Amino acid sequence: MTRKFDDWSAPFAVRNLRYLRDELTEVERKIPDARRAYFELVAQKLALQYAIDDNERYIHEKGDDVS
């Protein structure tokens, strides 16, 4: 239906629909990379939280003698 017009002679709604479909395709293409980046960030967060907890435990055990 939207292909019966060329890009510039198409009504606004048709051009807008094409644009939105192209944008959706672009976003869907980025999802796998974003998912990988998200899991890497979660892993970094967990590693940092573990290090913080470990240091807090060490400070708690040593008390005021921490240097």
Side-chain angles (χ1 to χ4, degrees), residues 24-35:
L24 177 61
T25 302
E26 185 67 21
V27 168
E28 287 173 338
R29 185 186 63 76
K30 293 177 182 179
I31 289 174
D33 293 335
R35 188 174 289 135

Side-chain angles (χ1 to χ4, degrees), residues 4-6 8 10 12 20 22-23 25 31 35-36 38 44 46-48 56-57 59-60 65 67:
K4 77 178 190 179
F5 300 103
D6 65 15
W8 296 109
F12 173 76
L20 292 173
D22 290 344
E23 286 296 307
T25 302
I31 289 174
R35 188 174 289 135
R36 262 191 300 282
Y38 169 76
Q44 285 180 338
L46 291 174
L48 290 169
E56 287 175 344
R57 187 172 37 259
I59 290 170
H60 182 69
D65 292 337
S67 55

Side-chain angles (χ1 to χ4, degrees), residues 40-58:
E40 289 172 8
L41 287 172
V42 169
Q44 285 180 338
K45 176 188 174 237
L46 291 174
L48 290 169
Q49 188 62 51
Y50 177 79
I52 289 168
D53 292 345
D54 193 40
N55 283 346
E56 287 175 344
R57 187 172 37 259
Y58 177 79

